Amino acid sequence: MSKNPPIPPSPNHPIFLSLQAMRLKSLEIKGFKSFANETVMHFGEDVIGIVGPNGSGKSNVVDAIRWVLGEQKSSELRLDTMTSVIFNGTKKRKPGGLASVSLTFENTKNLLPTEYNTVTVTRMLYRTGESEYRLNGVQCRLKDITSLLMDTGIGSDSYAIIALGMVDDILADKDNSRRRMFEQAAGVSKYKARKKETLSKLESTSADLERIQDLLFEIEGNLATLEKQAKRTKRYFEIREEYKLLSIDLGLIKVATLRESQREVQGQLEKEEHSYRQLEIETREIEAHLEKERKSNLDTEKTLSERQRELNHLVGQIKNTEADKRMQEQKKQFVEQTRVKLAEEIKSAESRIEQLKLEIERYQIEVKTEQSQEQNLMESLQIADNQLKEIREGHGTLKSDLDAIMKDQQAIEREVFELEKRKAVNSNQIQSALFELERSGFDTEQRREEVAQLQLKIDALEAEEITKKAILEALEKAEEQRHEELQQAEAALEELTKKIARINREMDARRNEFKLTQSMIENLEGFPESIRFLSGNKEWKDTPLLSDIIYVKEVYRVAIENYLEPYLSYYVVKDLKEAQRAIELLSKSQKGKANFFVLDAFQNHASPITLLPDTLQAVDLVETDSAYRNLFGYLLGNVLVTEREDLVTQLPEGDVVLLSKSGRFIQRKFSISGGSVGLFEGKKIGRKKNLEILENQVKKLEKESNSLSTEFYNAKSKIETLKAQRVPAQIQDARNELNKVTQQKITFYTRLENFETFLRDADKKARRITTNDAGIARVEYIDRAGFGF
């Protein structure tokens, strides 16, 4: 192969055109290999030479340029590992912790696709292994740098940088180095790089497609199952959404049902109270009816007494009838005795007839004897007839006298019979009356004793009735008072339950908000790493953030926070020294940047006064310490808050900013920003102040909840005590006892009246018997022997 040097490209070649348009301006090296201190090399001339003895670091300059342009192979930099580019230290100097190289180009012809005239490419590597790239101080990716320098022919592997040994590689055409140099000079390498990148992407895409085919094959097997699962999942979400809606509807229905039930129960309670009053009225009516029935019962008992008297009268009649019966029996005995006497008389008459027959026979004999004498006597008969006529005339007179005497005798006998009969009846009546009078006297004496005992019992029952009535009235009054106290206690308990539930809900909400706010404060959510670093630093953690020194009422909090959003992470320091100290801490620890407000700069600041109709000055809505008033006057001096949600067609002259109260929009003279309000907006501003307020609110709510809980348990205990003091059974027992006493009293009164009636009847009967005994005539028996025939 020919060893002749390559023919250099003409000045009109693209690489020279790019170099003429984009010039290397400077190179800054710090902590890279042998450059421990910060070293700056300026390339102000067309040709710059760097000379020095061996080992002084001339090759390290080229390595630094290659490294900052993105060299990833440590072997190309003559190193074992990439971390070896960091200064390793000497006997008198400590090793460095950072290697940094910055390469600055002039971009006056805008060859690079950027608006900057100067482009600085920086690469930094920490000993921990972390590295970063920057373009003009802005962190970026290596790909961004490679894409930016793609069309310039400058890169870590381009031939614009000829390192040691590259000329021999070109002359020897090692690994097609000569071809690569010509491709770079012709501007083909970028297309090859893009082609390579595209082919790599295509290969990756092909591999992905193959993998996708495999996945599709696997997925197709599970597609049916997944479809079922998807349908189930969809159905689950639909059902869950439906369940959510139905739960809400059910909750509303339950609430409506409970309210309706409450109304029904209230109506039923009123109805029951009305029924209770009606029952009381009915009870009183029943009691009146019962009293009426008692009176009727008394009347009935009086009637019973009259019936008893009638019964006694009937018994007397029966006794009289029995006496008559006995009289009839006596009369029957008398008739029987008369019959026996008559039978004896008949026997006597029969014996007399026999005797008379014998006499007739004797007389017949005598007649025969006398017939003979009749003739003798005929003559005497004639004479006797004459005499007989005279005697007959005298016999007729005697016979009429005899008949009159017989009639008088029969009348006397009948009178005697009647008198004997009357005597027997009167004797029986006297015996019955004496027996009845004796028994009546015994009964009367016994009844009089019973009447005295009944009167004592009635007096005792009346005293007991008065006592029972007093006890019943006291129990009913106590029960009514207990019922009223129970209703009041239950109403108070229900009100306490509602208050406790409301306070518990509010307390849970405040606790959750407190925990969320505390977590956000402790973790500094929403703030950059530099803020978290400074807040965790012992030397700096007491310095407040702007968001910590401000407090705004909740209604205006979202609007003020949206406007102050860019400044909420600013630290508020007294002077520049504190800000400088924080900047040094961040620089030393490589933790990013932070912003500061210096209070000394606002000492003489005067806030402008700007007002519009229906607006409030935002600075008046902010609560903060007096030391920070000028700062917020500067930030919010030209900011107004409107209650309306409509945009203003024209703002006044000046930098006036208009905020909607809800935070929906921010209107400036030449711009408007706005939209929906997020759920967590308004949570950054015044976190610490809000945390203190929330803590005080939680403590206050806990205290109130404990107080209400004590009242609740006291009210519940009172209700349980009142329920335990129920005395319906005692009232019923007292009523039963009172009714029993009243019934006994009525019974005793009835018996007393019956006894009094009995005593009056007994007295009348005794007087009547005495009168009847005194009026009985003495009966004299007429002796039959005293009458002559």
Side-chain angles (χ1 to χ4, degrees):
M1 176 178 276
S2 175
K3 298 294 183 181
N4 295 327
I7 300 172
S10 66
N12 294 325
H13 196 272
I15 190 170
F16 285 101
L17 292 175
S18 65
L19 288 174
Q20 292 173 1
M22 185 182 68
R23 184 182 182 88
L24 179 62
K25 185 176 180 181
S26 63
L27 176 66
E28 297 180 11
I29 304 174
K30 180 181 178 182
F32 183 83
K33 288 192 175 182
S34 58
F35 295 95
N37 297 324
E38 184 176 359
T39 303
V40 181
M41 300 179 185
H42 298 282
F43 300 96
E45 303 297 336
D46 292 338
V47 178
I48 300 297
I50 298 174
V51 297
N54 292 334
S56 61
K58 298 185 297 298
S59 300
N60 290 341
V61 174
V62 178
D63 292 340
I65 294 173
R66 293 174 66 87
W67 184 70
V68 74
L69 291 176
E71 182 61 59
Q72 299 298 317
K73 296 180 180 179
S74 58
S75 60
E76 294 294 335
L77 301 176
R78 300 172 291 123
L79 298 171
D80 295 332
T81 58
M82 187 58 71
T83 54
S84 298
V85 300
I86 303 173
F87 177 67
N88 202 26
T90 61
K91 293 181 179 180
K92 297 180 180 180
R93 194 180 183 94
K94 294 181 179 180
L98 169 69
S100 174
V101 178
S102 298
L103 197 61
T104 304
F105 296 97
E106 287 185 355
N107 187 31
T108 56
K109 300 298 182 179
N110 292 328
L111 180 64
L112 297 176
T114 178
E115 60 184 4
Y116 297 101
N117 294 328
T118 301
V119 177
T120 300
V121 179
T122 304
R123 183 177 181 181
M124 303 170 69
L125 177 65
Y126 299 94
R127 192 169 290 279
T128 57
E130 298 177 357
S131 65
E132 62 180 66
Y133 293 89
R134 294 186 179 183
L135 279 175
N136 285 352
V138 179
Q139 190 172 351
C140 63
R141 301 173 300 171
L142 174 61
K143 186 177 181 181
D144 298 330
I145 297 174
T146 305
S147 299
L148 182 67
L149 301 175
M150 178 69 73
D151 295 335
T152 62
I154 298 175
S156 60
D157 57 347
S158 70
Y159 285 95
I161 302 171
I162 305 297
L164 185 66
M166 289 184 64
V167 175
D168 294 335
D169 293 340
I170 292 171
L171 293 176
D173 196 15
K174 183 178 179 181
D175 297 330
N176 293 324
S177 57
R178 191 181 302 170
R179 178 185 179 87
R180 282 190 281 112
M181 182 187 69
F182 288 135
E183 287 177 351
Q184 288 182 6
V188 178
S189 59
K190 65 178 181 179
Y191 299 108
K192 292 189 70 175
R194 289 175 182 172
K195 178 182 177 183
K196 182 178 179 182
E197 183 179 357
T198 303
L199 290 174
S200 176
K201 288 181 178 179
L202 286 173
E203 290 177 0
S204 177
T205 303
S206 298
D208 290 341
L209 287 173
E210 291 178 359
R211 179 58 182 159
I212 287 171
Q213 291 295 332
D214 296 337
L215 291 174
L216 286 174
F217 179 76
E218 294 177 2
I219 290 170
E220 284 176 357
N222 299 326
L223 187 59
T225 305
L226 292 174
E227 286 178 353
K228 290 180 182 179
Q229 293 178 356
K231 290 179 181 178
R232 291 177 182 174
T233 305
K234 183 179 179 181
R235 180 60 179 163
Y236 166 74
F237 285 111
E238 291 175 355
I239 292 174
R240 188 175 69 176
E241 189 66 26
E242 185 179 357
Y243 172 75
K244 182 179 179 182
L245 297 175
L246 290 175
S247 298
I248 295 172
D249 294 339
L250 179 60
L252 295 174
I253 291 171
K254 284 184 176 180
V255 170
T257 305
L258 290 174
R259 288 178 179 171
E260 186 65 26
S261 299
Q262 183 184 7
R263 288 194 290 269
E264 290 178 359
V265 170
Q266 189 69 25
Q268 187 176 1
L269 180 61
E270 293 175 357
K271 184 177 179 182
E272 292 297 331
E273 288 177 351
H274 179 70
S275 300
Y276 175 72
R277 297 189 189 97
Q278 200 68 24
L279 287 173
E280 284 185 346
I281 295 171
E282 291 177 0
T283 303
R284 293 190 180 95
E285 291 177 354
I286 290 170
E287 289 177 352
H289 181 69
L290 182 59
E291 190 66 27
K292 184 177 179 181
E293 290 294 330
R294 288 172 185 167
K295 292 181 180 179
S296 177
N297 192 14
L298 292 174
D299 296 337
T300 304
E301 289 181 352
K302 290 180 180 179
T303 305
L304 180 61
S305 299
E306 293 177 357
R307 296 289 185 273
Q308 186 69 32
R309 287 194 295 272
E310 292 177 359
L311 179 61
N312 294 333
H313 180 66
L314 291 173
V315 169
Q317 289 180 353
I318 291 170
K319 289 180 180 179
N320 293 331
T321 306
E322 289 178 350
D324 293 339
K325 181 180 178 183
R326 287 194 294 270
M327 286 295 295
Q328 293 296 328
E329 288 178 352
Q330 290 176 2
K331 187 176 180 181
K332 182 179 177 183
Q333 291 176 0
F334 178 75
V335 171
E336 185 66 26
Q337 291 175 0
T338 304
R339 187 183 65 79
V340 171
K341 186 177 179 181
L342 289 174
E344 290 177 354
E345 288 179 356
I346 290 170
K347 288 180 181 180
S348 177
E350 287 177 353
S351 64
R352 179 68 179 167
I353 289 170
E354 291 293 331
Q355 186 180 359
L356 287 175
K357 284 180 178 181
L358 291 175
E359 287 179 358
I360 288 169
E361 289 178 356
R362 184 174 59 81
Y363 284 154
Q364 285 177 353
I365 295 169
E366 289 179 356
V367 166
K368 286 178 180 181
T369 305
E370 291 295 332
Q371 280 178 355
S372 63
Q373 295 177 358
E374 182 181 5
Q375 291 298 332
N376 296 323
L377 292 174
M378 281 300 291
E379 295 175 355
S380 299
L381 179 60
Q382 189 67 32
I383 297 168
D385 283 336
N386 294 327
Q387 291 178 356
L388 180 62
K389 287 181 182 179
E390 293 177 357
I391 292 170
R392 281 183 180 178
E393 289 177 359
H395 183 274
T397 303
L398 290 174
K399 187 175 181 182
S400 59
D401 292 338
L402 181 62
D403 290 336
I405 292 170
M406 288 298 292
K407 287 182 180 178
D408 291 337
Q409 184 181 0
Q410 289 177 356
I412 291 170
E413 287 180 354
R414 283 195 300 270
E415 186 177 356
V416 169
F417 178 76
E418 289 295 331
L419 288 173
E420 288 180 353
K421 176 181 176 183
R422 185 176 178 184
K423 178 183 178 184
V425 171
N426 289 333
S427 178
N428 290 331
Q429 286 181 352
I430 289 170
Q431 290 178 0
S432 298
L434 291 174
F435 177 75
E436 186 69 24
L437 185 62
E438 184 180 358
R439 190 181 68 179
S440 177
F442 177 76
D443 291 341
T444 301
E445 190 65 28
Q446 187 176 2
R447 293 295 186 273
R448 289 184 188 281
E449 293 178 0
E450 291 181 358
V451 165
Q453 293 178 359
L454 282 176
Q455 190 63 44
L456 294 175
K457 289 182 179 179
I458 287 171
D459 294 340
L461 286 174
E462 286 179 348
E464 187 178 358
E465 183 181 17
I466 293 171
T467 305
K468 296 292 184 184
K469 282 184 178 179
I471 293 172
L472 180 61
E473 290 176 357
L475 287 174
E476 289 178 345
K477 187 175 181 181
E479 176 64 15
E480 185 177 357
Q481 185 177 1
R482 186 196 68 82
H483 187 66
E484 292 178 358
E485 291 180 357
L486 182 61
Q487 287 181 341
Q488 294 175 359
E490 287 178 347
L493 182 66
E494 185 177 0
E495 188 66 25
L496 284 173
T497 304
K498 292 180 180 178
K499 284 184 180 180
I500 289 172
R502 176 177 58 78
I503 288 175
N504 286 337
R505 289 195 298 271
E506 186 177 357
M507 185 166 60
D508 291 339
R510 292 293 180 269
R511 281 176 176 171
N512 293 332
E513 187 176 357
F514 176 81
K515 291 179 181 179
L516 177 62
T517 305
Q518 188 178 29
S519 175
M520 294 173 68
I521 291 174
E522 291 176 353
N523 299 327
L524 289 172
E525 294 182 8
F527 291 97
E529 182 184 2
S530 58
I531 302 301
R532 291 195 292 271
F533 169 75
L534 288 176
S535 297
N537 190 283
K538 295 180 180 179
E539 300 178 1
W540 186 260
K541 64 179 181 179
D542 295 331
T543 303
L545 291 167
L546 182 70
S547 61
D548 295 336
I549 63 174
I550 185 174
Y551 181 76
V552 182
K553 293 182 179 179
E554 191 172 356
V555 291
Y556 303 104
R557 192 176 298 167
V558 175
I560 302 298
E561 181 180 302
N562 287 341
Y563 178 75
L564 293 178
E565 177 70 27
Y567 310 109
L568 293 178
S569 59
Y570 278 45
Y571 277 105
V572 180
V573 298
K574 294 181 180 179
D575 49 33
L576 290 174
K577 291 182 179 179
E578 290 187 12
Q580 181 65 33
R581 184 158 53 88
I583 292 171
E584 290 177 356
L585 286 173
L586 292 172
S587 299
K588 182 177 180 181
S589 303
Q590 297 296 321
K591 292 297 182 181
K593 296 179 180 179
N595 300 301
F596 307 90
F597 282 121
V598 181
L599 291 178
D600 290 346
F602 299 101
Q603 289 182 357
N604 300 321
H605 176 74
S607 302
I609 300 176
T610 306
L611 282 176
L612 286 175
D614 299 327
T615 60
L616 298 172
Q617 278 196 310
V619 70
D620 294 336
L621 304 176
V622 173
E623 298 178 13
T624 186
D625 295 339
S626 58
Y628 307 114
R629 294 303 300 178
N630 291 341
L631 169 61
F632 286 103
Y634 166 76
L635 293 173
L636 302 173
N638 59 337
V639 180
L640 301 176
V641 179
T642 177
E643 300 280 344
R644 302 170 58 187
E645 295 297 324
D646 299 330
L647 297 172
V648 178
T649 55
Q650 185 174 2
L651 292 175
E653 294 296 329
D655 297 332
V656 177
V657 180
L658 186 65
L659 309 180
S660 68
K661 179 181 176 181
S662 63
R664 288 180 58 248
F665 66 83
I666 301 174
Q667 183 177 1
R668 294 179 174 86
K669 186 173 183 180
F670 300 107
S671 65
I672 297 172
S673 61
S676 62
V677 178
L679 182 63
F680 294 98
E681 291 188 17
K683 302 298 183 182
K684 288 184 179 180
I685 197 168
R687 288 180 177 179
K688 291 186 177 180
K689 182 68 175 178
N690 192 34
L691 188 67
E692 294 176 1
I693 294 173
L694 288 173
E695 186 176 6
N696 293 331
Q697 289 178 352
V698 169
K699 289 180 179 178
K700 183 179 178 181
L701 290 172
E702 286 177 348
K703 185 177 180 181
E704 189 174 355
S705 176
N706 293 332
S707 176
L708 289 176
S709 297
T710 304
E711 292 181 12
F712 176 81
Y713 289 118
N714 292 336
K716 195 171 182 182
S717 301
K718 183 178 179 181
I719 289 174
E720 291 177 354
T721 303
L722 289 173
K723 286 183 178 179
Q725 291 175 353
R726 291 186 62 189
V727 290
Q730 297 179 9
I731 292 174
Q732 189 63 35
D733 293 341
R735 285 177 180 170
N736 294 335
E737 290 178 0
L738 180 61
N739 293 333
K740 186 177 179 182
V741 170
T742 306
Q743 191 67 32
Q744 288 179 355
K745 187 181 76 170
I746 293 170
T747 303
F748 288 162
Y749 267 121
T750 304
R751 291 179 62 187
L752 182 61
E753 290 179 359
N754 293 333
F755 288 162
E756 290 176 350
T757 304
F758 176 79
L759 291 174
R760 286 195 296 270
D761 293 342
D763 290 339
K764 290 179 182 178
K765 190 173 182 181
R767 286 196 297 271
R768 187 175 68 250
I769 291 171
T770 305
T771 304
N772 290 336
D773 289 343
I776 293 176
R778 296 175 180 271
V779 179
E780 294 181 358
Y781 293 93
I782 300 174
D783 189 5
R784 287 179 182 270
F787 292 94
F789 291 93

